[in-house]
Amino acid sequence: MRQFSQKISLFQCINALILAIVVVVTVYPFIYMAVISVSGDVYVMRGEVFLWPKGFNLKMYSLVLGDLSILQSYLNTIIYTVFGTGIALVITSAGAYALSRSDMLFNKGFTLMIIFTMFFSGGMIPSFLVVKELGIIDTVWAMVLPGAVSTWNLIIMRTFFANIPKELEESGKMDGLNDLGLFFRIAVPLSKASFATIGLFYAVSLWNNFYFPLLYLRDPELFPLQVLLRNLVLAGQVMSGDVTQIGGDQLIVEESLKYATIMVSTLPILLVYPFLQKYFVKGALIGAVKG
Amino acid sequence: MSLLRDDHERRICEIRHIRVRSDKNLLRKLNQTKYLWLLFLPCLLYYVVFKYAPMFGIVISFKDYNLFKGIQESAWVGWKYYRMFFENPDFMKLMRNTLLLGVYNLAFGFPAPIVLAVLLNEVKHSFFKRFVQTVSYLPHFISNVVVASMVVMFLSPTGGILHELLKWFGAANANVMMEPEWFRTVYVASEIWQHAGWETIIYLAALTTIDPVLYEAADMDGAGRFRKLWHVTLPGIRPTIIILLILNIGKVLEIGFEKVFLLYNPATYETADIIGTYVYRVGLVQGNYSYATAIDLFMGIISLIFVIAANTISRRVGNTSIW
């Protein structure tokens, strides 16, 4: 018996160790980037910085935040995210509500038509041509409209609405509400949590979006953060304006600057994530059960 | 003769009558749900414009599409672009790269969350469990651009931290991102890092639905930890595993264009260039719209066949399917 319990604790130890490694592998890259980005040049170049900043300074951040093109793209990203989330929520929730009502005509047919798009699409070029034909290339609309409904989110929301007790809707009807009234007065107020969840999914995907700007934006003034980040870090472009000038005058560790840029663009997500995590999980579960 | 004709006419009349009545019925129903239609309209428009219109746009793959002429005016060329793709010396390379990357990603990326979920499920300490979960979901919300940037910088031969680690193991002296034989490993590893944690959610939920009585019974029969895992835990989440496997097999060929695009470079085209990236270069960069669309459609159809096949097999074998 004694041996048995020891065996369990050994297993528990190994298990905990493995999971601890998973945690380190996940978190350490962020710690490393954060630490490098606030450390002194000399220590970074000597490769002495690993866990704790040495020669702490915020020079890189003042450079990054002082760069006009970065600020512009930051503003663009915020606009696309806020505006896009708003539009996506309106269209998705209204559509999901209609589909959740079994008395809507052709309800089944439309659901099938929507689910089919998860398995087959026209592809990159025809989609591009549609956006082009609409004349919204190089406008905010190109960032906002092509992703306004995600089929996955639509299905999750439909499930949310379908779970609202029928009695509530019937009592609403008795009080003389039409379907619009039922939606705005009953369904929406009851689904604040689901709006928060789906809104978050949309907001994150808009914040991180790289595909749409790559395809639909040509004008650098309109580039969101992700495109700028890619140009700086992956395509090796130098920053415009201030950063390059200062870079010419004094020594800049390119690495630290890049890490600082990555941190700046990821920070909003890292900061809000711990508080909103439970909403994400809830959404993912509902999607999984019904999808 | 005339009697027969009368009969015939009467029947037509009846049919017409029924049709008129059902039309009225339909109209009434439409009228009753007009506000629901109003709510649904934007969503419908979205699907028609951004999902179904592109499907009709596929027609340009059978034409010599010219931006100035438009779809209507461009000349029909039949299967020209499809033939062109099959005769392309890069055809085999692209197919192989796409398929291999997808298969590797499935082979390593699919079991990863199952293993992680089972390990998490064994943790008794609930705070530690929640902590690991919260942390492991995080990378899922980091953008592909940031993840690719991290990969490239960590593997950079000038001071990249992973590069130092690899050198320490004697594995790499050169620039990993420039070597074709490393691309698939790097891609699959980064995918697992990014998504494995998040994908445990579904399995963890499935694990909680297993009846504890089964574990007690297994204990009574003297089953050890691994027998319980094999005979109780895994069968308990089997339907979930199968459904997700189908979904993932269907997506084998739809490897994320974004991630590959961000990670590859001309030096690694040999293994990294997939259909998606090729379509982007040929279509959007070089402006060969018809050709790119033909390639895309070819791939889309194969992908669709994959989903249907996977679903059919699982319905026959495991009695589980997504439709």
Side-chain angles (χ1 to χ4, degrees):
Chain A
M1 198 58 211
R2 200 182 152 74
Q3 214 186 354
F4 191 55
S5 68
Q6 261 179 353
K7 231 182 187 168
I8 287 181
S9 69
L10 179 67
F11 174 83
Q12 290 293 357
C13 284
I14 295 172
N15 192 13
L17 188 72
I18 295 174
L19 292 176
I21 292 173
V22 170
V23 170
V24 170
V25 168
T26 311
V27 173
Y28 184 66
F30 297 105
I31 296 177
Y32 179 75
M33 290 193 297
V35 163
I36 292 273
S37 66
V38 294
S39 288
D41 305 339
V42 193
Y43 303 101
V44 174
M45 286 211 287
R46 271 198 242 141
E48 284 178 359
V49 185
F50 288 106
L51 258 184
W52 204 250
K54 284 184 179 174
F56 181 86
N57 68 79
L58 291 173
K59 195 175 76 191
M60 293 306 157
Y61 286 91
S62 63
L63 278 180
V64 170
L65 294 177
D67 188 90
L68 282 180
S69 63
I70 290 185
L71 285 182
Q72 174 71 50
S73 67
Y74 219 109
L75 188 68
N76 289 340
T77 295
I78 292 173
I79 293 172
Y80 301 153
T81 305
V82 172
F83 188 41
T85 307
I87 287 192
L89 270 182
V90 170
I91 298 182
T92 309
S93 64
Y97 179 72
L99 285 178
S100 81
R101 289 277 301 269
S102 52
D103 52 340
M104 193 182 98
L105 220 50
F106 309 126
N107 168 321
K108 287 261 161 56
F110 283 128
T111 308
L112 269 180
M113 171 190 138
I114 283 165
I115 287 180
F116 179 68
T117 62
M118 288 175 104
F119 299 105
F120 187 76
S121 76
M124 184 187 283
I125 305 300
S127 304
F128 168 78
L129 292 176
V130 165
V131 173
K132 200 175 156 61
E133 283 301 309
L134 289 174
I136 56 174
I137 296 271
D138 267 338
T139 63
V140 185
W141 298 106
M143 295 299 95
V144 168
L145 290 180
V149 180
S150 127
T151 303
W152 197 244
N153 289 346
L154 184 74
I155 292 173
I156 296 178
M157 268 210 139
R158 196 192 60 169
T159 313
F160 269 124
F161 287 132
N163 286 336
I164 293 176
K166 286 278 163 295
E167 293 78 22
L168 285 174
E169 277 178 1
E170 264 150 35
S171 67
K173 267 185 202 164
M174 299 263 231
D175 291 343
L177 286 179
N178 60 23
D179 288 324
L180 285 178
L182 288 179
F183 176 63
F184 287 111
R185 299 275 183 82
I186 293 177
V188 174
L190 281 174
S191 325
K192 279 182 195 135
S194 76
F195 273 85
T197 308
I198 302 300
L200 283 173
F201 277 123
Y202 276 124
V204 169
S205 72
L206 280 157
W207 184 277
N208 287 339
N209 197 355
F210 173 71
Y211 186 76
F212 289 156
L214 178 74
L215 261 58
Y216 307 142
L217 294 184
R218 298 279 171 276
D219 181 2
E221 294 266 298
L222 292 169
F223 283 165
L225 209 45
Q226 302 297 334
V227 173
L228 209 76
L229 192 63
R230 184 246 169 186
N231 289 347
L232 288 175
V233 181
L234 295 170
Q237 247 172 46
V238 270
M239 291 196 204
S240 66
D242 300 342
V243 173
T244 34
Q245 277 168 18
I246 296 173
D249 296 343
Q250 62 190 86
L251 181 77
I252 280 193
V253 183
E254 208 191 329
E255 233 188 320
S256 313
L257 191 64
K258 286 177 179 174
Y259 284 140
T261 319
I262 294 178
M263 286 314 286
V264 165
S265 63
T266 320
L267 219 55
I269 287 182
L270 292 181
L271 287 181
V272 300
Y273 168 74
F275 306 102
L276 303 175
Q277 191 240 123
K278 64 169 191 241
Y279 290 106
F280 288 124
V281 174
K282 210 198 270 166
L285 278 177
I286 290 170
V289 172
K290 281 283 170 175
Chain B
M1 191 64 198
S2 77
L3 213 119
L4 228 148
R5 214 171 68 194
D6 277 357
D7 194 43
H8 187 68
E9 272 171 4
R10 214 186 62 217
R11 254 203 219 142
I12 289 179
C13 269
E14 262 176 20
I15 292 172
R16 272 204 193 125
H17 189 62
I18 290 169
R19 201 173 278 159
V20 167
R21 222 171 48 200
S22 74
D23 275 355
K24 264 190 186 156
N25 221 334
L26 199 77
L27 275 176
R28 215 187 61 218
K29 270 190 174 168
L30 263 175
N31 192 39
Q32 264 174 2
T33 55
K34 59 175 184 278
Y35 291 114
L36 283 181
W37 275 87
L38 197 64
L39 286 171
F40 186 60
L41 194 66
C43 189
L44 182 67
L45 270 178
Y46 170 81
Y47 277 95
V48 169
V49 172
F50 291 105
K51 299 285 176 179
Y52 280 87
M55 285 186 208
F56 291 102
I58 286 172
V59 73
I60 65 169
S61 69
F62 298 101
K63 290 188 159 200
D64 243 332
Y65 179 68
N66 183 318
L67 266 183
F68 303 103
K69 282 186 185 167
I71 296 177
Q72 287 284 321
E73 299 293 311
S74 301
W76 289 96
V77 292
W79 297 96
K80 175 181 158 193
Y81 288 109
Y82 292 88
R83 222 174 287 130
M84 199 164 132
F85 180 50
F86 299 139
E87 284 160 7
N88 187 333
D90 284 339
F91 173 71
M92 281 315 287
K93 187 187 85 181
L94 289 168
M95 290 297 285
R96 192 184 59 226
N97 286 347
T98 310
L99 199 65
L100 275 182
L101 203 58
V103 168
Y104 283 138
N105 199 26
L106 184 71
F108 295 98
F110 183 71
I114 302 177
V115 173
L116 193 57
V118 168
L119 289 179
L120 273 167
N121 196 45
E122 295 286 341
V123 175
K124 297 286 176 288
H125 200 292
S126 76
F127 175 78
F128 179 64
K129 184 178 172 181
R130 241 181 304 138
F131 174 71
V132 177
Q133 279 175 272
T134 306
V135 166
S136 66
Y137 300 160
L138 171 66
H140 181 76
F141 297 99
I142 303 300
S143 76
N144 279 329
V145 178
V146 167
V147 173
S149 303
M150 284 160 68
V151 168
V152 169
M153 292 197 65
F154 289 164
L155 285 169
S156 134
T158 53
I161 186 167
L162 271 178
H163 184 261
E164 296 299 315
L165 201 71
L166 285 176
K167 235 166 47 185
W168 201 58
F169 284 114
N173 290 313
N175 190 348
V176 171
M177 292 315 295
M178 290 297 187
E179 305 215 6
E181 59 265 39
W182 275 91
F183 184 82
R184 292 180 186 127
T185 315
V186 170
Y187 177 84
V188 173
S190 81
E191 281 290 291
I192 293 177
W193 182 82
Q194 208 177 348
H195 301 298
W198 179 251
E199 282 158 6
T200 61
I201 291 180
I202 295 163
Y203 294 112
L204 284 169
L207 282 167
T208 59
T209 62
I210 298 176
D211 192 347
V213 173
L214 292 174
Y215 286 105
E216 282 163 26
D219 276 334
M220 298 265 231
D221 292 342
R225 192 173 291 281
F226 291 99
R227 303 212 75 170
K228 272 192 279 183
L229 172 69
W230 192 252
H231 293 292
V232 181
T233 311
L234 289 180
I237 56 173
R238 208 180 73 140
T240 313
I241 295 179
I242 291 176
I243 287 183
L244 287 179
L245 189 63
I246 300 170
L247 284 172
N248 282 305
I249 288 176
K251 283 188 202 140
V252 157
L253 296 172
E254 287 175 28
I255 321 154
F257 156 81
E258 242 180 87
K259 193 77 161 291
V260 175
F261 176 78
L262 291 163
L263 284 174
Y264 84 159
N265 56 58
T268 50
Y269 278 179
E270 186 59 36
T271 57
D273 199 12
I274 58 167
I275 301 282
T277 49
Y278 190 75
V279 166
Y280 172 78
R281 289 205 312 276
V282 167
L284 280 187
V285 179
Q286 293 165 17
N288 208 336
Y289 294 126
S290 292
Y291 185 33
T293 307
I295 301 172
D296 224 3
L297 176 65
F298 173 70
M299 226 44 209
I301 286 172
I302 293 186
S303 199
L304 194 61
I305 293 172
F306 261 62
V307 185
I308 294 169
N311 195 49
T312 312
I313 292 169
S314 91
R315 192 164 44 196
R316 293 254 170 83
V317 179
N319 289 322
T320 325
S321 65
I322 42 175
W323 67 76

